[in-house]
Amino acid sequence: MTAVIAAMLTAVVGVLGTLFAPLLQQRITARQRAEEARAEDRRRRLEDRRTAYIAMNRASRQFHTLLKDALHRIRDGVYTEEDRTGLEEARREYRDCYAQAQMIVPERVLAASRDLNTVLAGIDAMAKRIDRGLPREGETAAAALIELKEAEPRLSAMRRVMREDLGITD
């Protein structure tokens, strides 16, 4: 190869490098932006789940507590309209948090929350029947309180599954 050909090849490579450098830089920048967008989307989804978990955990525990209080008050004959209103508000809040979570949380979290929901909804229905004076055979406030104890390990299981989903393993 002669010096002229080598010089021409060097010039051609230099010109091509100059022409393609902006295109290459644009492609690298586009990839970086796409990766940043994916990372931001993952972060946002995690934050949405975390927010839903906090709301669901709080609402389910509040509903459980007020349900237990209502059953004690029904048993003792001191259940008031204010108690009914508070329990109904807690039930609605729980229902709304549960419905919102159904749209964004993984199936294993939904399974744990369904297990809890089954117990809480059943006891709530039983408490309403007892309060109205229309209990089914064997339904009493004392019996409902015993059945409500089934919710406690389910509350813990739901919280554990939520924490695991968020990456909290301790």
Side-chain angles (χ1 to χ4, degrees), residues 44-140:
R44 184 187 50 76
R45 286 176 188 254
L46 180 66
E47 187 59 31
D48 288 349
R49 283 195 325 270
R50 182 179 140 333
T51 300
Y53 292 165
I54 290 168
M56 217 165 118
N57 187 54
R58 182 192 48 74
S60 61
R61 289 183 180 283
Q62 178 70 4
F63 183 38
H64 175 263
T65 298
L66 289 180
L67 195 52
K68 186 178 357 175
D69 291 348
L71 289 167
H72 282 289
R73 295 176 72 72
I74 290 170
R75 181 196 63 200
D76 297 342
V78 293
Y79 195 53
T80 66
E81 192 58 40
E82 185 178 323
D83 296 324
R84 287 178 191 91
T85 301
L87 179 59
E88 185 60 20
E89 287 173 4
R91 186 192 65 77
R92 286 182 180 156
E93 175 69 18
Y94 169 71
R95 181 201 61 205
D96 291 347
C97 290
Y98 182 77
Q100 180 184 15
Q102 286 178 317
M103 298 296 111
I104 61 173
V105 305
E107 185 58 38
R108 68 183 184 279
V109 175
L110 286 178
S113 65
R114 269 192 303 271
D115 289 346
L116 173 62
N117 188 51
T118 300
V119 174
L120 293 178
I123 300 299
D124 182 52
M126 188 185 305
K128 286 177 179 171
R129 286 191 298 271
I130 295 167
D131 182 41
R132 291 181 188 127
L134 302 169
R136 294 180 181 161
E137 188 174 329
E139 287 185 341
T140 65

